[in-house]
Every structure is written in C-alpha cells, then in structure tokens.
Amino acid sequence: MSRSDRFFESLKNTARSGKLARPRLFGILNLTPDSFSDGGAHTASPETSLEFAAQMVADGADALDLGAESTRPGSDAVSVDEEIRRLLPALKLIRARFPDLFLSVDTRKADVADAALAAGADCVNDVSGLQFDPRMADVVAAHHAALIIMHMRGTPETMQSPENLVYDDLIADISTFLLDAVKKAVRAGVDPARIMLDPGVGFSKTDEQNMALIHRAAEFRKLGFPLFYGISRKGFIGRMYGIPCPTDRDEATAQLQLDLCRAGVEALRVHNVAVTLRAITAAGF
C-alpha cells in the first residue's frame, strides 16, 4: 500500500470509528523569503528546513505541506525555475529522513508539481483549485498522486478585489466550484479516493465570510470528500481579535480549530503543531 493509500485509509478509519477524532495535522514549511508568517526563517539552507521539519514531526505532525511561492493576498508570482530551486533540495532531504511521512507540495504550477512528485512528494495542494495551470490535473494523475483542491477566485494579486468577494450563497457557490474541480480532476484520471477539499479560508473572502466557513464547516460534509482547512495565523484572525503579529496568533488559531474539529474536519494545515496538538488533545480529540 502506498503512502497516499495509507494516509487516506487512516482518514476513513477515523470516520468509521463513530466519533469525532483528532484531525491529521499538516505542519507548514514555508520555503519562501516573503512568507507572511515567518519571513523566511527556515530557508537559510536545505538543512535548516530539514531541522524545522524534523521538529514539527517530533511535535506531532502527521504530514508536512511544503510551499515555495507565497500566495498571500497581493503577493507576486515567482518563476517555475525559482520555485523548483527553492523547493527540491529541502524536499529531497525530508523525504530521505522520513521515508514514510506523507508530504504535500503547495503549488499552482504543473511543472513544479511534476518535479516535486518525481522527487518524492505524495500530494499537490493547489490553491487555485485547478484554475491556474490547465495541465495540473494531468500531472497529478500521471504520478498517481493525491490532490487537495482549494477554492479561490482570481489570483493572489486580485483575489481580494471587490468583485471576487460577492457570493449569491457562500456555501453553495464554493461547493459548486469544488465539485466542478473534482469532476475535472477525475476526468483527467485522478483517483477520487485521493482527493481532499479546502473551502479556501483567507482566499477571496471577507473576514465575516472566513468566519462563516469555520462555523459552518459541517455543511461541506455533504460533498463526500475529506476536508482540509488552513486557517493558521491568517490575517482575518489578527484583524478580528486585535493580534497584529502573525506569530502571536497561534492560541487564537487553535481555539478556532476546535470548531473545525467538532465539525469533523479531517485535516488541518498549521504553523505551530505543538500548540495545536495540545489544544485539541485537551478538548478530547
């Protein structure tokens, strides 16, 4: 059984248990010099990145999500070559150290995904929901890889423009987008048993809409796929709770993640694995 099959089987076992259980935690490894949350603190060398990855695993991470292009609101795109240059050295070291660990790569670009999957990644986390690169689904299918499909309108440069923040029905509109993307992926040959869905908190959403996606997470259960949420340290938490520094938002993040746990969300993308794990364990998950 492949790493992806084992990972997704573990999600099914959680669902079969008949009770809400601890979601899988994806530790975030930013390999960009302009990350909103840590400003490239772990990019001095591939060995530095590996050291931080190992710490997250020791803290309880079930998987890692590696990203080499910032997609925060207003960020600029980087070239394929630069994204690969940032990503692959750390990815190869992490895969060698942790041969059984599920690794996801946060990229919108098919060529980057192709290189990362060939180097040992298991999953592509496409924040564009297969909109940015028309070849992405084909690449994922060719590698028999897993796929995280996220909802977003526009690009990081334009996603917070007024026209991208208007919804007829927030949950229904996002659900339709996600299911349409699933159909596209499956037509390309992606195994539906290896797909997770992310409603896209912080992407093309107002602060109030972000909170609605958290408090109404259970409504996405009807889509029939495991749910993946990334709310960690995001700007709306800072604005709504008066916490300007991203690294000071871990406790507030953890409190909001408890709502996601209660809704049965299967996977959480987090910066501070230790704080998250303590919070959800104390809450009985």
Side-chain angles (χ1 to χ4, degrees), residues 222-241:
K222 65 182 180 182
L223 301 182
F225 292 87
L227 298 178
F228 180 95
Y229 265 72
I231 69 171
S232 184
R233 296 182 179 175
K234 287 191 171 177
F236 78 96
I237 296 176
R239 290 187 293 272
M240 298 195 76
Y241 297 102

Side-chain angles (χ1 to χ4, degrees), residues 70-227:
S70 177
T71 51
R72 73 188 188 285
S75 61
D76 296 325
V78 300
S79 70
V80 168
D81 289 344
E82 175 62 14
E83 193 173 344
I84 290 174
R85 184 194 67 79
R86 295 174 179 179
L87 176 64
L88 255 57
L91 171 61
K92 290 177 179 177
L93 285 180
I94 293 167
R95 173 51 71 216
R97 173 76 69 86
F98 300 104
D100 297 323
L101 185 66
F102 188 80
L103 297 179
S104 173
V105 172
D106 182 348
T107 185
R108 303 176 288 164
K109 303 183 183 79
D111 287 339
V112 176
D114 189 37
L117 293 170
D122 305 295
C123 178
V124 173
N125 179 9
D126 184 354
V127 299
S128 81
L130 302 180
Q131 296 181 101
F132 184 80
D133 192 326
R135 295 176 47 244
M136 180 64 87
D138 294 321
V139 167
V140 173
H143 286 274
H144 306 287
L147 177 64
I148 300 168
I149 299 173
M150 196 191 82
H151 173 270
M152 181 174 73
R153 290 172 168 175
T155 66
E157 297 92 335
T158 65
M159 65 184 178
Q160 293 303 112
S161 58
E163 63 271 19
N164 284 329
L165 303 177
V166 178
Y167 295 83
D168 293 329
D169 182 310
L170 181 68
I171 304 300
D173 290 355
I174 293 172
S175 296
T176 297
F177 173 99
L178 292 173
L179 289 179
D180 285 346
V182 167
K183 292 176 184 177
K184 179 178 180 179
V186 172
R187 283 197 301 268
V190 177
D191 185 347
R194 295 181 179 178
I195 293 176
M196 285 188 279
L197 301 181
D198 181 348
V201 172
F203 290 77
S204 317
K205 317 291 188 307
T206 66
D207 292 350
E208 291 75 16
Q209 289 165 347
N210 289 323
M211 292 299 288
L213 293 183
I214 294 170
H215 295 315
R216 300 174 64 186
E219 295 181 43
F220 290 109
R221 299 247 62 81
K222 65 182 180 182
L223 301 182
F225 292 87
L227 298 178

